[in-house]
């Protein structure tokens, strides 16, 4: 199961990336994240681990598996029977930037979790990107 949501942001891509990649501050600007606990120090990097509590979802630990500084990071959370990958992309445009959030659910239970939580996942991705737009344009 794959879910994506993109939004055009009227702000420099560098600013959008700075907000999107500072995961410790997500609870300050998106209602879809209640609590973030970084499990290591410094800016996001390959292997960085973060524990996230979201409304209506189990607490998950995410590990960064791919990073293109200033453009993209991907992290993975695993639970029995399911692997969830979250992608966070910022692309520079003449108007500012396009930000895209992606969730991919795989594994024996991935399709079931994806179907059961499809509406919530779509709503959260839309809320996250809309909130990212708002805070990036205000900065």
């Amino acid at each position: 199961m794959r879910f994506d949501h993109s939004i055009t942001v009227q702000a420099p891509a560098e600013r959008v990336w700075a907000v999107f990649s500072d995961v410790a501050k997500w609870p300050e600007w998106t209602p879809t994240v209640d609590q973030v606990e970084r499990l290591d120090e410094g800016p996001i990097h390959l292997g960085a681990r973060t524990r996230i509590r979201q409304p209506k979802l189990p607490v998950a630990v995410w590990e960064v598996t791919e990073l293109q500084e200033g453009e993209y990071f991907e992290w993975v959370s695993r639970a029995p029977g399911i692997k969830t990958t979250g992608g966070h992309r910022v692309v520079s445009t003449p108007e500012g930037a396009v930000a895209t959030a992606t969730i991919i659910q795989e594994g024996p239970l991935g399709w079931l979790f994806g179907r059961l939580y499809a509406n919530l996942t779509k709503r959260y991705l839309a809320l996250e990107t809309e909130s990212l737009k708002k805070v990036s344009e205000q900065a």
Side-chain angles (χ1 to χ4, degrees):
M1 301 286 297
R2 180 185 179 106
F3 305 93
D4 297 284
H5 195 272
S6 296
I7 198 161
T8 300
V9 183
Q10 305 297 318
E14 297 80 17
R15 181 181 311 151
V16 179
W17 173 257
V19 173
F20 215 7
S21 65
D22 189 355
V23 298
K25 292 186 179 175
W26 284 6
E28 297 174 14
W29 59 263
T30 182
T32 64
V33 176
D34 288 334
Q35 184 179 18
V36 171
E37 179 187 358
R38 286 290 309 274
L39 302 177
D40 47 43
E41 299 290 320
I44 201 156
H45 58 274
L46 281 176
R49 296 176 69 233
T50 304
R51 181 178 291 114
I52 295 183
R53 180 180 308 276
Q54 295 183 269
K56 302 179 184 177
L57 292 173
V59 174
V61 174
W62 296 85
E63 182 174 345
V64 176
T65 56
E66 187 176 334
L67 175 66
Q68 297 168 8
E69 187 61 43
E71 297 177 20
Y72 182 74
F73 80 91
E74 182 175 285
W75 58 11
V76 171
S77 179
R78 297 177 189 276
I82 187 168
K83 172 186 169 187
T84 304
T85 303
H88 311 80
R89 183 175 306 279
V90 177
V91 177
S92 183
T93 67
E95 298 80 30
V98 172
T100 303
T102 302
I103 290 290
I104 302 168
Q105 292 162 329
E106 301 172 285
L109 298 178
W111 67 271
L112 178 61
F113 191 87
R115 289 181 65 75
L116 290 174
Y117 286 89
N119 289 336
L120 182 68
T121 300
K122 290 175 190 175
R123 193 166 56 249
Y124 277 14
L125 289 176
L127 260 172
E128 288 167 9
T129 55
E130 289 163 8
S131 298
L132 175 65
K133 173 182 174 70
K134 183 178 178 181
V135 74
S136 296
E137 290 178 349
Q138 289 177 349

